[in-house]
Each structure stands twice: as structure tokens, then as C-alpha cells.
Amino acid sequence: MLREEYWDRGYEEVQSPNMYDVELWKISGHWQHYQDDMFRLQIKDDSADPMPLSDQKPDGKPIASFHDKDKGLFALKPMNCPGHALLFRNEERSYRDLPWRIADFGVLHRNEASGALSGLTRVRRFQQDDSHIFCDAKDVKSEIHKMFDFMTYVYGLFGFPFKFKLSTRPEGYMGTLADWDAAEKQLKEALTEFKGSDWELNEGDGAFYGPKID
């Protein structure tokens, strides 16, 4: 049922790898902010020397980069964002191809602390109907409204109520203030048009790469 809804709403289902070289996570910023919560894998070469589960020496200096792209330090993906960005970058695209909507039902792994594990809300392995939309900046608000409609339909099938929170720029954010202000403005406008004043402002709890609606 859910897959059919994605198709009807213009989404393309994709499958992305379960693990990536840590260099990708460094580019996205997840390694700097999230590495302690990621499961790491060391793909060894043919030497007898053990390879460390870190990209640094004990003194904090970086280990020399590996020449073989299939060897070295990898991490199981805790989220799909960087992988989906690679899919978008893999082809030359025109503005006429936008918006490009993709859905991914792949497995995610997060190395949550044992004391934080709780039922279905905090687990170390899970699947979700994750999606990303690549669109022109002027179309962000209209795409959010389409997502509100999608969510309202699915939640309505089960009779689930829902509330919204807008989580804004945290400390240690990436990007420029201008981009953050523009993004937060569009999210606020979309929420207000959809729910009036019936939503909460959760200041400073956005992701390091952008504001979010929870």
C-alpha cells in the first residue's frame, strides 16, 4: 500500500548501499558530529598488520589515506542522506527534471548507547520509509505541502493524531546564516498555512545541516 502511494505521488524507489567509506561521511559532516553513534568496519588489505577502527593515530594525527578505495575504514549507514545525494549527483540533470523524489526502504544501523535503547523509538537496526526530494529553492514550500498531504492520508488510515514542531538552527551548524534563515522561513510559512498557529517552535534542535519539522 505504502509503495503504491509513493508511486502515485511521483516518487522513484531506490536502493542504496549499506555502508560507505568514511570519507563520504566526512564530506557530509556526519563523521564530525555523529561518528560515535556509527558502526565502523575495517576492510583489511593483505598485510598481516591489524588495522585500527579509527582514522587517527593515538596522538591524534591522521593515518595516511589508503590507496585502494575498496580497503580502509567504512561505516554502516545510520541515515540515507549522503547516499541519496550521490545518486542525484550521478547523472547530469536539468531543472526540467526537478523535483526528483526518491523513496528508500533500506536498513539503517545506529550505535545507540545501551541505556538509550527503548522499544521502537531507539533501536540499533531499523527500516523506515525514508525519502528525499531534490527541488528548486522556490519549490520547497509546495513540496512540503505535498508531504503534509501524504502524511495526513497515511496517518488518517490508522486514525493517528499528530503534532508538529519546527526545530531551528543549532550550535555547530553547517552552511550560511542566509541559507538557514531562508530555509526556516519557508518551513514556518508552510506550517502556518497548513496548521495555523497549531505548531510549536523548538529552537536550537535542528539537524546540523538544516532545520526540520518533527
Side-chain angles (χ1 to χ4, degrees):
M1 183 278 291
L2 192 58
R3 278 190 165 94
E4 291 178 355
E5 281 298 319
Y6 271 117
W7 298 335
D8 289 345
R9 295 169 188 270
Y11 287 79
E12 175 184 345
E13 185 176 343
V14 300
Q15 293 182 342
S16 51
N18 285 325
M19 67 179 186
Y20 294 95
D21 191 308
V22 297
E23 292 304 315
L24 175 64
W25 302 111
K26 291 178 182 178
I27 293 171
S28 69
H30 289 89
W31 189 252
Q32 296 87 324
H33 290 81
Y34 204 76
Q35 63 174 289
D36 291 340
D37 295 316
M38 299 171 72
F39 288 103
R40 312 174 193 187
L41 300 92
Q42 192 63 258
I43 310 300
K44 290 186 61 176
D45 57 19
D46 296 328
S47 69
D49 296 331
M51 298 179 72
L53 290 175
S54 174
D55 61 340
Q56 295 181 337
K57 298 178 181 178
D59 60 5
K61 295 180 180 179
I63 295 175
S65 60
F66 300 99
H67 298 293
D68 189 340
K69 67 178 182 179
D70 295 323
K71 303 291 190 296
L73 187 59
F74 290 74
L76 294 177
K77 64 177 180 181
M79 64 282 293
N80 288 309
C81 318
H84 288 179
L86 287 182
L87 286 174
F88 180 78
R89 192 189 69 176
N90 192 51
E91 297 181 17
E92 289 189 8
R93 302 180 190 275
S94 164
Y95 70 92
R96 297 183 181 88
D97 299 323
L98 302 178
W100 187 51
R101 308 181 186 100
I102 55 176
D104 193 330
F105 295 89
V107 177
L108 303 177
H109 294 83
R110 297 183 179 178
N111 189 17
E112 301 279 5
S114 58
L117 298 175
S118 175
L120 295 176
T121 58
R122 281 292 183 93
V123 294
R124 289 176 173 160
R125 181 188 185 276
F126 60 96
Q127 287 176 267
Q128 62 183 14
D129 54 319
D130 196 13
S131 65
H132 285 88
I133 299 171
F134 296 85
C135 66
D136 191 286
K138 65 179 175 57
D139 296 325
V140 169
K141 191 166 64 171
S142 64
E143 287 298 315
I144 292 174
H145 277 296
K146 291 183 176 71
M147 294 175 69
F148 286 160
D149 179 74
F150 191 179
M151 186 196 71
T152 300
Y153 172 77
V154 174
Y155 275 51
L157 291 176
F158 298 96
F160 292 158
F162 52 83
K163 296 181 179 180
F164 289 110
K165 290 183 179 181
L166 173 59
S167 298
T168 58
R169 185 177 65 249
E171 295 183 8
Y173 63 89
M174 294 178 67
T176 67
L177 280 174
D179 286 341
W180 274 88
D181 289 343
E184 290 178 2
K185 180 176 183 291
Q186 292 206 63
L187 297 191
K188 287 178 182 178
E189 290 177 354
L191 278 169
T192 300
E193 290 169 7
F194 181 60
K195 296 290 286 183
S197 61
D198 188 20
W199 55 275
E200 297 179 32
L201 184 62
N202 190 17
E203 293 189 12
D205 201 44
F208 66 88
Y209 49 81
K212 58 180 181 176
I213 297 174
D214 294 316

